[in-house]
Amino acid sequence: MTENTNKANAGVRREEAKSILDRFLNNENYRVLAVNGKWGVGKTYLVDNFLSEHRKDDYSYASVFGISSIEQLKARLIANYTGQENKNFIRKQMSNLVESVSRNASRVEKTPKLDLSLPHNFSIPIAGSLLAIAGDLGLEIFFNSKVTENSIICIDDLERKSKLSLEEILGFVEYLVQECKCKIIIIYNQDELEDKKLLERYREKVIDREFTLDPTVDENLDFIFKDHPDIEVIKEAFLKARTNNIRVIRKTKWLIKELISLMEDWEDSLCHQIIKNCIIITVAKLDTDFCKRLSINGIDPVDTIIFSISYNHQQMQQYEEKYKAEDKETSIKKLEFLEKIAKMGYRSLEELDELISQLVNTPLSDSIESKFKERGHILNEREKRKQIIKKLENIYQFKYYNSFADNEQDIIDGIINFLEQHHLDLTIAEFENIERFTLISEFDISYYEKLLLEEILKSNSYENLSAFRNKLSKYPELEASFNEKIHEYHQTLDITTAVKNIMNCDPSSRSLTLQKDVEFLRSLTVDKYCQWLQKGHPELIDMVEWLRKSGYRPAPENLEQAICILAECSNINRIRAKYLYNIDIENIYNSDNTN
């Protein structure tokens, strides 16, 4: 062996590695090249592609993963010899071997013939009792005949070996070099190698040249995502995550490809955010070094991402229950982790992130696709509004707030152009913000306001009934149409229905139906409340007490007046008023007379 003068150097890039491989193949003094590197950086792919291009008919590859003997390693090497010429050679040699063994097997009992399946889709019929003999002889014949001087042998996955010892493997490498005059490339991840001391002991004797493959993130991204339309967004997220693991990058590509087909006509900004989240979640889930690179250990990164989402009360309670006993140090680590991935471009997409996390390892199904589209549609509508408001803010930000230029007309033109495109997409409050500015400039935008109010009236999408009524006062025909709609709705109501609707709703609700029900109760006369009380209801006491305390004036006052009127009509009603509702009409009248 030649003296080892070049120990593993850190940070060899893909192109530099190709140059090293080329020099190794063309230098007769070099016999063993070691390629070190972390899992997933593309060591095997690089070597295989390079040899396929430069020595496609003269090399063999075998992984030692799962094998337990040198004979099995030889068999794999034979099976994986490349090129049609090698296939023909193996077929011919096996046929000759079987014929030779069969001629000399007179004392071997006759057995049914079996097919001896060989690589590259061909098989040879052979008697079962001859299999072991043919296999042992064939292995030596094939191996010694095919592995010749300057053959390229690639042995991979040294750190994944099982029963076969590293010493045996390195001894076999030495045999191939000394006896067969081969060139050997061994591939491994030294960080995961159990026998590091043994490697150091034999390194000087066995290995001529070695390097550590450490391609840049850019290199592997260009390799996997070549010509992808969103490459800039993808690169930005991956560069910040600092992962060059090809397997992680490739799995991310598969996930992004699946999801992009579900995001047709979505806002570009949302699609790009989903891509970023796919990258961060996939890296967090699959790249075991991710937290190490962030100097944060002892937490589950995906668990931290998903359970930090408090998008509804129930899940927030689950989150608090899960982590209520968590120590302060772990909580701080999780906060640091969330801050760091936010700087990488991650932004919570609520339930969508849970689906993305599932899809990292789970195939897309009809149910998950349906959930993704449903939730994504909601987020997309939000994103549309966000982008609309962003356009408007840009008009103010760059032309008004950040300048003292004489550009009033430019600002007005910008606002008009914006309103032409988006006046029907605004809320009343958003329109009023624009209106406040245009009033200062004495510019009238009531044309767009009327169109907006017409659209809101048509779709019943206003949030505040009272405020909306006030806005319509400037446009009598719209106000009349609005009052007619309210009247039509009130015609469908009775007091019991309205009270029940309000009593059973969320106290913090601002629903339009609730507001219409409240307005209905406020609009009723004392006589209407008298009719309702006389009609009766099994829950009348509860409803009366609730309405008296509701604060929806003048409904409580009108209801109490109705009770007093009915109490004057009969003794039983006087008793009801006093003992059921604590309304004593005699004291009321005496108090009035005194006053």
Side-chain angles (χ1 to χ4, degrees), residues 337-380:
F337 176 79
L338 291 171
E339 287 174 2
K340 288 184 177 183
I341 63 173
K343 290 178 181 179
M344 293 178 191
Y346 172 82
R347 176 168 62 85
S348 172
L349 295 176
E350 303 175 2
E351 294 102 322
L352 217 55
D353 284 343
E354 285 189 288
L355 297 177
I356 290 170
S357 179
Q358 289 180 47
L359 292 171
V360 171
N361 290 319
T362 305
L364 188 65
S365 64
D366 290 344
S367 62
I368 294 181
E369 178 178 330
S370 177
K371 288 177 185 176
F372 185 88
K373 287 181 175 179
E374 179 184 349
R375 183 58 198 164
H377 175 73
I378 295 171
L379 293 179
N380 193 53

Side-chain angles (χ1 to χ4, degrees), residues 65-87:
F65 181 57
I67 67 172
S68 57
S69 68
I70 295 297
E71 285 70 28
Q72 288 182 341
L73 178 55
K74 287 181 179 180
R76 281 193 180 179
L77 289 169
I78 293 170
N80 291 327
Y81 253 107
T82 57
Q84 185 62 44
E85 180 183 343
N86 291 307
K87 297 176 189 177

Side-chain angles (χ1 to χ4, degrees), residues 14 45 218-226 246 250:
R14 185 177 296 277
Y45 191 92
D218 264 320
E219 280 183 303
N220 282 355
L221 285 175
D222 288 337
F223 172 58
I224 300 295
F225 280 101
K226 186 178 181 181
I246 281 184
R250 185 179 282 115

Side-chain angles (χ1 to χ4, degrees), residues 78 81 89-95 97 118 124 134-135 137-147:
I78 293 170
Y81 253 107
F89 170 81
I90 293 173
R91 183 184 293 110
K92 181 178 179 181
Q93 293 297 321
M94 179 57 87
S95 297
L97 173 67
L118 295 171
I124 300 169
L137 291 174
L139 189 59
E140 286 303 313
I141 292 173
F142 293 165
F143 197 81
N144 293 328
S145 299
K146 191 55 190 171
V147 177

Side-chain angles (χ1 to χ4, degrees), residues 34 57 105 125 128 272 275 326 380 390 408 435 445 536 544 552 563:
D57 291 326
H272 290 165
I275 288 173
E326 194 170 78
N380 193 53
K390 191 173 180 180
E408 181 177 351
E435 191 176 40
I445 57 172
V544 168
Y552 297 140
I563 292 173

Side-chain angles (χ1 to χ4, degrees), residues 127-245:
S129 57
L130 301 179
L131 282 172
I133 300 172
D136 291 341
L137 291 174
L139 189 59
E140 286 303 313
I141 292 173
F142 293 165
F143 197 81
N144 293 328
S145 299
K146 191 55 190 171
V147 177
T148 59
E149 185 173 349
N150 290 325
S151 290
I152 310 298
I153 303 295
C154 181
I155 301 175
D156 198 358
D157 295 323
L158 266 63
E159 74 282 0
R160 289 190 176 102
K161 62 182 179 55
S162 52
K163 296 180 181 179
L164 192 61
S165 71
L166 181 61
E167 192 168 17
E168 287 180 280
I169 296 170
L170 294 178
F172 180 59
V173 168
E174 183 73 358
Y175 162 77
L176 291 174
V177 171
Q178 297 296 340
E179 301 299 326
C180 302
K181 309 301 181 186
C182 299
K183 280 182 173 289
I184 314 297
I185 299 175
I186 55 176
I187 303 174
Y188 57 88
N189 178 357
Q190 185 168 316
D191 292 343
E192 303 296 330
L193 198 63
E194 293 181 359
D195 307 325
K196 292 185 179 68
K197 290 184 179 179
L198 188 65
L199 178 63
E200 287 299 323
R201 190 189 311 162
Y202 285 98
R203 176 176 260 130
E204 298 295 328
K205 176 177 176 58
V206 177
I207 298 172
D208 294 322
R209 287 290 183 268
E210 57 182 303
F211 68 89
T212 299
L213 181 65
D214 186 20
T216 65
V217 179
D218 264 320
E219 280 183 303
N220 282 355
L221 285 175
D222 288 337
F223 172 58
I224 300 295
F225 280 101
K226 186 178 181 181
D227 300 325
H228 195 284
D230 298 303
I231 186 62
E232 294 306 316
V233 176
I234 291 167
K235 273 193 175 183
E236 180 185 3
F238 265 116
L239 286 169
K240 289 178 179 178
R242 304 191 340 251
T243 184
N244 64 353
N245 188 305

Side-chain angles (χ1 to χ4, degrees), residues 470-525:
N470 291 336
K471 294 296 290 183
L472 292 177
S473 61
K474 292 164 55 178
Y475 309 99
E477 67 275 26
L478 295 183
E479 186 175 29
S481 176
F482 175 73
N483 289 333
E484 180 61 29
K485 289 183 73 171
I486 296 296
H487 178 71
E488 288 175 1
Y489 177 75
H490 285 177
Q491 291 297 103
T492 68
L493 284 178
D494 57 66
I495 297 176
T496 297
T497 302
V499 171
K500 286 280 192 181
N501 286 346
I502 302 170
M503 287 177 67
N504 294 329
C505 77
D506 181 352
S508 63
S509 173
R510 291 288 298 164
S511 75
L512 184 57
T513 300
L514 173 63
Q515 293 178 64
K516 289 179 180 178
D517 291 346
V518 170
E519 186 174 80
F520 169 73
L521 295 176
R522 283 172 164 165
S523 70
L524 295 173
T525 63

Side-chain angles (χ1 to χ4, degrees), residues 4 129 148 160 247 294 303 318 321 324 327 343 346 351 361 372 393 401 420 443 450 452 458 475 511 527 535 568:
N4 187 328
S129 57
T148 59
R160 289 190 176 102
R247 284 193 284 272
L294 298 181
D303 183 71
Q318 292 174 355
E321 183 69 23
K324 65 182 180 182
D327 63 277
K343 290 178 181 179
Y346 172 82
E351 294 102 322
N361 290 319
F372 185 88
E393 288 174 349
Y401 291 110
E420 284 288 337
F443 187 78
K450 185 178 180 181
L452 173 60
K458 193 187 306 178
Y475 309 99
S511 75
D527 186 52
K535 186 176 180 181
E568 289 180 340

